[in-house]
Amino acid sequence: MTPRTYSAPSVRQLAAVVDGMASEVSEGRLRQLRMVVGMFDRAVGRDELPARVSRMARQLFAQESMDAFWDLAVAGELRHWEKDVGKPLPDWSQRIVRDCLKILAGKVLPPGKTVLLPSVTNPDRKPAASGRSLEALYRGMVDLAGQGPLERDGTTLSYEDRSRLLAMVAVLLDAGPRSGELAAQSLSDLSPGEVAVAVRRRQQKAAPNRAEEIAALAEVGVEAARSVLGGWLERVSEETRQRVLAAVAELGPLPEVEWYRLREGSQVAVRRWLKVREGLVDSLPLEGARTALWVSLVPSKAGPPGVPLRAQGLRQAYARGVTALNWVMAGSHGWEPLPTTMEQVRRAVEAVPLEGPPS
């Protein structure tokens, strides 16, 4: 991909800072940071921002510049696509931009120098799936895997696709991994006999995802704990901040690897997928690409069939499969449409890790 060029020296400096963070942040966060760099590129030169912001990256984060940038961003004036310019940013997009600004300010501003960033309402998350829905999802996936080819509107859900989907859902329900943790799994994360699966927790996200546990230990509200963990310190008192930080220190980090028992049906689903997977990876030219647990079924931009799936590909595969399941089961007595996002299912899972690796 040809590197993007920017006319203003300040934006070029900021882009170089982001490029240097490639090994520090996730791929998704890196895309978001580059998106914000593009927004700065479209902001520099406008009358709303001081002319000096074009010279040095740190001038982009001067309070006057930041306030003007934020107003333009929220109003949708800095969108990438011309057809979308003027459409206000939704709350979730504002949250992403604000979080990226905080990261970039910490990299660009001199030590001890800060900028007041705007407060953003924390949008309500989509409700988690119910326990009844989780059981229905598992039973439905089993039925779906055993049926013939499913086709709707020209889109076919093949046997291979269903085999991967059932195994993926089985691991999701038994271990509760996030999509990025699923994408990182390899064959070595399955125990002999496929009786258990390992999840390598992403430590940089561990604390925010333990907000309820931390809040209980610190004896503060969950939202207050999330504010401290997310860096939104203007929302809480210093006493609350100290109590939350003390609770984090007392809990300590999550284990790097957690093992979870797979149910008997899950073991069968995983073994079925391993047979399908073996046929896909055997033709790959690179030995190193053969270790991923979740691989592609068809050629894509990432390469031929059998290459490791990324988190986005996993989420898309899940959404496609559950959409098909909802369609197949529509009209069945007692059937309720299942959530088509993995996150809604994951947050409803109450998986308990084993005390250690299975013997």
Side-chain angles (χ1 to χ4, degrees), residues 28-44:
R29 177 63 83 185
L30 195 64
R31 287 196 300 269
Q32 293 169 357
L33 291 168
R34 286 175 172 153
M35 174 193 73
V36 172
V37 172
M39 296 173 75
F40 273 115
D41 184 51
R42 292 183 284 278
V44 171

Side-chain angles (χ1 to χ4, degrees), residues 6 41 54 95 135 284 334:
Y6 304 100
D41 184 51
S54 65
R95 168 70 65 189
E135 289 301 319
L284 288 177

Side-chain angles (χ1 to χ4, degrees), residues 43-56:
V44 171
R46 293 181 64 120
D47 294 339
E48 292 88 344
L49 270 71
R52 64 178 181 275
V53 299
S54 65
R55 303 169 193 160
M56 298 290 293

Side-chain angles (χ1 to χ4, degrees), residues 319-349:
R320 184 173 63 251
V322 173
T323 298
L325 179 62
N326 284 335
W327 171 67
V328 170
M329 297 298 293
S332 300
H333 178 70
W335 180 261
E336 298 178 2
L338 293 165
T340 56
T341 63
M342 294 181 71
E343 175 63 15
Q344 287 174 272
V345 174
R346 186 195 68 78
R347 286 192 284 110
V349 172

Side-chain angles (χ1 to χ4, degrees), residues 24-324:
E24 302 176 20
V25 298
S26 67
E27 183 178 338
R29 177 63 83 185
L30 195 64
R31 287 196 300 269
Q32 293 169 357
L33 291 168
R34 286 175 172 153
M35 174 193 73
V36 172
V37 172
M39 296 173 75
F40 273 115
D41 184 51
R42 292 183 284 278
V44 171
R46 293 181 64 120
D47 294 339
E48 292 88 344
L49 270 71
R52 64 178 181 275
V53 299
S54 65
R55 303 169 193 160
M56 298 290 293
R58 66 172 178 267
Q59 290 294 342
L60 296 170
F61 294 88
Q63 196 64 58
E64 180 184 3
S65 306
M66 183 53 52
D67 292 343
F69 172 86
W70 182 255
D71 289 344
L72 289 169
V74 170
E77 295 298 322
L78 304 179
R79 288 181 178 271
H80 175 73
W81 300 109
E82 186 175 351
K83 63 182 178 63
D84 293 330
V85 172
K87 296 179 182 178
L89 288 188
D91 289 342
W92 274 117
S93 296
Q94 291 183 36
R95 168 70 65 189
I96 291 171
V97 173
R98 197 265 188 196
D99 290 348
C100 288
L101 290 174
K102 180 181 177 183
I103 294 171
L104 293 172
K107 291 287 185 179
V108 170
L109 292 177
K113 183 73 173 177
T114 59
V115 60
L116 182 63
L117 295 173
S119 297
V120 180
T121 302
N122 195 17
D124 294 333
R125 294 190 293 181
K126 292 181 179 179
S130 66
R132 178 183 173 187
S133 293
L134 294 184
E135 289 301 319
L137 174 59
Y138 189 81
R139 293 195 307 271
M141 288 289 110
V142 173
D143 293 342
L144 186 63
Q147 294 180 19
L150 295 174
E151 184 172 347
R152 181 187 185 191
D153 298 333
T155 300
T156 300
L157 203 62
S158 65
Y159 169 79
E160 293 78 10
D161 210 337
R162 298 197 310 274
S163 297
R164 185 183 63 183
L165 178 66
L166 177 59
M168 189 186 304
V169 169
V171 171
L172 177 65
L173 294 179
D174 287 354
R178 298 167 186 83
S179 57
E181 293 164 347
L182 265 177
Q185 286 182 322
S186 65
L187 293 180
S188 63
D189 291 322
L190 290 174
S191 68
E194 293 78 42
V195 298
V197 64
V199 177
R200 301 179 184 279
R201 296 300 183 187
R202 302 171 67 181
Q203 291 298 327
Q204 69 270 27
K205 294 187 176 181
N209 289 319
R210 303 171 78 186
E212 293 184 4
E213 185 180 5
I214 291 168
L217 184 60
E219 297 183 351
V220 301
V222 175
E223 285 306 315
R226 288 197 177 112
S227 294
V228 175
L229 298 171
W232 307 302
L233 303 182
E234 66 276 6
R235 301 180 181 178
V236 298
S237 66
E238 178 62 21
E239 178 186 0
T240 297
R241 186 179 79 89
Q242 293 297 338
R243 292 171 69 174
V244 170
L245 294 179
V248 171
E250 184 174 342
L251 284 175
L254 288 171
E256 182 180 353
V257 179
E258 293 178 335
W259 285 90
Y260 294 85
R261 181 73 61 186
L262 290 176
R263 290 174 289 182
E264 184 175 350
S266 299
Q267 296 174 31
V268 173
V270 170
R271 292 185 196 118
R272 177 186 295 170
W273 161 242
L274 290 177
K275 291 181 180 179
V276 173
R277 178 195 167 280
E278 184 178 4
L280 294 166
V281 301
D282 276 350
S283 60
L284 288 177
L286 299 177
E287 184 68 29
R290 300 179 182 179
T291 60
L293 178 57
W294 309 107
V295 300
S296 62
L297 302 175
V298 296
S300 66
K301 294 180 180 178
V307 301
L309 270 183
R310 295 183 178 180
Q312 181 178 3
L314 284 168
R315 292 192 294 267
Q316 291 173 341
Y318 169 84
R320 184 173 63 251
V322 173
T323 298

